[in-house]
C-alpha cells in the first residue's frame, strides 16, 4: 500500500517507517521536524536500503496534505504527528488542542476530500486516566486528566463519529502504553530535545554521564518496591502493531459489522522503576545512580495493559523482552555519545 505516515521522522514514526518499508509498503512521510531532524530520514533509508518520499510540513496545512495524498497516490494514512509531553500540555493546553485536535481535523478533511478513508490513529493509554482496575482492557472507562490525554480522547470521539457517519471509513485506534528502546542498528531511537521527561531516555543520559543521577519520582506508592509501575513496550513491537492494523484495514474479508476498532498496545506486564534500573544495569553492565524523590504531579502508582484483544483480533503480540528494551536503548545512546 502507499502509506502516508504523519510524524514519520519522530521516535515512533521512524521505527514505523522502517517496519512499513521492510514489509514492502511505499512510504511517504509528512513531518514538520518540530521534534526531530532530517538525519533520521537518512538513517531510515540507509537501514532499509530503500527510498521513501518526504514532505516537510504540518498536518495543519490542509492544502499541502491534499496535494501530498494526490501526488503520492496514498491508499492509507498512519497518523502519528502530534505533541506528547504531558507536563507541557498542562502549561500550554491550547498548543495541544491546536496541534493535536485541529491537526487531526485538517488531516481527516483532506482525506475525505481525496476520498481516502483508511486510517490508523496513534492514541495513548493516557485516555484511561487513573486506572480503576488492572490490567486495563479496552472497556476500561476513559477519563483523561491532562490536556494531552484530553486531546487524544477528543480525536477518538471525532473518529467514532466519522466512522458512524460513513461505512466507507475503516479506522484502527491504537492506545499505546510506554514505548521504549531502539532499532537494533542503534541508528534511530528516543532522542528528545531538552531534559527528558520520560524514564528510559533519562536513564540513558545518566548512563552516558550527561546527568549525575536519576530522580526516582516517589518511593511510597502501593507497589511491591514503592516505585511506579508501567507497561513498557519495545518500540519495534509497537511499530509492528501498525502493520497488523493496516492488515486489519486491508482485510479482503471485510464483511465485519464494525469499521472502527480500538486496541491496547502493550505487553500486559508491569515493571517498576527499580525493575527498569536493575534490568538496565544488568544487561548493560553499568551502574545507574539514583535518588528517591517526591512523587511527580499526575503520576499514578501502576498502569499496565490487557493486550488480549490486539493479540486475538490483530494477531499481534509483543515479542521483545525487557532486556531487549534496555540493551537497545543503551546501544542507541552509546552511538549518539560517540556522535556528540
Ligand atoms: C514512567 C515511570 C515515573 C522519569 C508518559 C505519558 C504517556 C506516554 C508515555 C505518550 C513513572 C517514573 C520517570 C524520571 C521517574 N507518552 N519516572 N523518573 O508518565 O508513564 O507516560 O509517557 O503517549 O502518555 O504520560 O512515562 O516515562 O514519564 O514515567 O521516576 O525521570 O517512571 O514516575 O512511574 P509515563 P514516564
Amino acid at each position: 500500500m502507499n502509506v502516508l505516515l504523519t510524524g514519520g521522522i519522530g521516535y515512533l514514526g521512524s521505527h514505523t517507517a522502517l517496519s512499513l518499508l521492510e514489509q514492502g509498503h511505499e512510504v511517504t512521510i509528512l513531518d514538520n521536524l518540530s521534534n526531530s531532524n532530517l538525519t533520521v530520514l537518512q538513517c531510515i533509508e540507509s537501514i532499509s536500503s530503500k527510498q521513501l518520499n518526504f514532505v516537510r510540513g504540518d498536518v495543519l496545512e490542509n492544502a499541502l496534505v491534499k496535494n501530498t495524498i494526490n501526488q503520492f497516490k496514498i491508499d492509507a494514512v498512519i497518523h502519528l504527528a502530534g505533541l506528547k509531553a504531558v507536563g507541557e500540555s498542562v502549561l500550554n493546553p491550547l498548543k495541544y488542542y491546536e496541534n493535536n485536535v485541529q491537526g487531526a481535523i485538517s488531516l481527516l478533511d483532506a482525506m475525505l476530500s481525496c476520498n481516502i478513508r483508511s486510517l490508523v490513529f496513534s492514541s495513548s493509554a493516557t485516555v484511561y486516566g487513573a486506572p480503576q482496575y488492572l490490567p486495563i482492557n479496552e472497556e476500561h472507562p476513559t477519563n483523561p486528566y491532562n490536556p494531552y490525554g484530553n486531546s487524544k480522547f477528543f480525536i477518538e470521539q471525532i473518529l467514532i463519529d466519522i466512522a458512524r457517519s460513513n461505512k466507507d471509513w475503516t479506522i484502527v485506534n491504537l492506545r499505546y502504553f510506554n514505548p521504549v528502546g531502539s532499532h537494533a542498528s542503534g541508528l534511530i531511537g528516543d532522542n528528545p530535545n531538552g531534559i527528558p521527561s520520560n524514564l528510559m531516555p533519562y536513564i540513558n543520559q545518566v548512563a552516558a554521564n550527561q546527568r549525575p543521577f536519576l530522580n526516582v519520582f516517589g518511593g511510597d506508592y502501593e507497589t511491591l518496591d514503592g516505585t511506579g509501575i508501567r507497561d513498557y513496550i519495545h518500540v519495534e513491537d509497537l511499530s509492528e502493531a501498525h502493520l497488523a492494523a493496516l492488515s486489519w484495514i486491508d482485510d479482503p474479508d471485510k464483511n465485519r459489522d464494525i469499521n472502527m476498532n480500538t486496541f491496547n498496545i502493550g505487553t500486559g506486564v508491569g515493571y517498576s522503576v527499580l525493575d527498569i534500573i536493575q534490568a538496565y544495569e544488568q544487561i548493560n553492565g553499568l551502574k545507574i545512580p539514583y535518588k528517591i524523590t517526591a512523587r511527580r504531579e499526575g503520576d499514578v502508582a501502576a498502569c499496565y495493559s490487557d493486550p488480549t484483544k490486539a493479540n486475538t483480533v490483530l494477531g499481534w503480540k509483543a515479542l521483545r523482552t525487557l532486556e531487549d528494551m534496555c540493551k537497545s536503548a543503551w546501544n542507541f545512546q552509546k552511538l549518539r555519545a560517540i556522535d556528540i
Side-chain angles (χ1 to χ4, degrees):
M1 294 168 93
N2 291 350
V3 180
L4 172 62
L5 183 60
T6 72
I9 301 289
Y11 171 43
L12 173 60
S14 51
H15 287 84
T16 303
L18 269 180
S19 297
L20 289 165
L21 290 167
E22 281 158 10
Q23 203 172 61
H25 294 287
E26 180 77 24
V27 177
T28 297
I29 288 178
L30 174 68
D31 199 304
N32 65 7
L33 299 180
S34 64
N35 193 20
S36 51
N37 65 63
L38 271 180
T39 54
V40 173
L41 185 63
Q42 291 146 17
C43 292
I44 295 169
E45 293 187 327
S46 99
I47 295 167
S48 63
S49 307
K50 292 192 177 176
Q51 298 293 306
L52 54 78
N53 309 308
F54 174 70
V55 175
R56 180 170 185 167
D58 197 303
V59 287
L60 283 162
E61 298 170 84
N62 184 265
L64 175 66
V65 180
K66 288 175 185 170
N67 294 339
T68 303
I69 289 173
N70 291 328
Q71 181 183 353
F72 297 102
K73 299 179 176 47
I74 298 301
D75 303 306
V77 177
I78 298 181
H79 181 37
L80 307 182
L83 300 174
K84 62 169 189 171
V86 170
E88 183 191 40
S89 78
V90 173
L91 299 173
N92 194 345
L94 270 184
K95 181 178 177 184
Y96 274 68
Y97 294 132
E98 181 187 10
N99 272 275
N100 294 0
V101 182
Q102 210 168 324
I105 292 170
S106 168
L107 172 69
L108 291 163
D109 172 75
M111 289 175 70
L112 204 56
S113 308
C114 301
N115 202 25
I116 301 299
R117 292 181 168 78
S118 298
L119 173 71
V120 180
F121 174 59
S122 155
S123 189
S124 167
T126 314
V127 301
Y128 292 116
Q132 294 176 19
Y133 57 80
L134 291 168
I136 294 179
N137 59 17
E138 289 81 358
E139 287 65 48
H140 186 288
T142 47
N143 185 25
Y145 53 78
N146 57 65
Y148 164 69
N150 286 339
S151 72
K152 292 294 186 180
F153 174 74
F154 295 153
I155 297 166
E156 287 191 2
Q157 302 315 301
I158 292 167
L159 296 178
I160 289 167
D161 290 340
I162 285 180
R164 200 174 285 150
S165 73
N166 183 324
K167 287 298 175 200
D168 289 347
W169 282 91
T170 312
I171 298 171
V172 174
N173 177 39
L174 300 179
R175 290 174 178 165
Y176 308 159
F177 280 70
N178 289 60
V180 293
S182 302
H183 184 264
S185 66
L187 294 176
I188 55 174
D190 191 1
N191 179 29
N193 297 332
I195 301 173
S197 61
N198 293 140
L199 180 64
M200 193 63 88
Y202 200 103
I203 289 178
N204 262 354
Q205 291 189 8
V206 173
N209 296 317
Q210 293 169 16
R211 312 260 172 215
F213 55 84
L214 169 73
N215 293 297
V216 175
F217 298 143
D220 58 352
Y221 284 107
E222 306 75 52
T223 60
L224 210 57
D225 62 21
T227 63
I229 290 174
R230 295 293 184 274
D231 184 333
Y232 298 96
I233 175 169
H234 197 293
V235 67
E236 291 189 285
D237 280 325
L238 178 53
S239 306
E240 288 162 11
H242 293 78
L243 299 181
L246 279 182
S247 301
W248 188 84
I249 286 174
D250 204 32
D251 180 355
D253 176 22
K254 276 194 194 268
N255 64 346
R256 50 189 174 226
D257 55 356
I258 51 168
N259 64 334
M260 177 173 170
N261 221 335
T262 291
F263 301 94
N264 286 341
I265 302 300
T267 64
V269 179
Y271 288 108
S272 73
V273 177
L274 296 185
D275 290 333
I276 300 296
I277 293 171
Q278 186 181 23
Y280 191 100
E281 289 182 330
Q282 274 175 354
I283 195 71
N284 295 312
L286 293 164
K287 198 76 191 121
I288 301 294
Y290 66 86
K291 288 179 182 171
I292 306 272
T293 60
R295 295 181 179 188
R296 179 173 62 178
E297 175 87 22
D299 275 355
V300 295
C303 177
Y304 52 91
S305 70
D306 173 356
T308 306
K309 186 179 174 190
N311 302 159
T312 51
V313 176
L314 292 182
W316 168 90
K317 187 171 170 56
L319 302 173
R320 292 157 180 93
T321 65
L322 179 62
E323 287 67 30
D324 296 330
M325 299 177 211
C326 294
K327 186 171 183 174
S328 63
W330 173 234
N331 188 43
F332 168 70
Q333 184 67 37
K334 258 188 317 192
L335 288 177
R336 274 191 49 67
I338 296 165
D339 285 350
I340 289 174

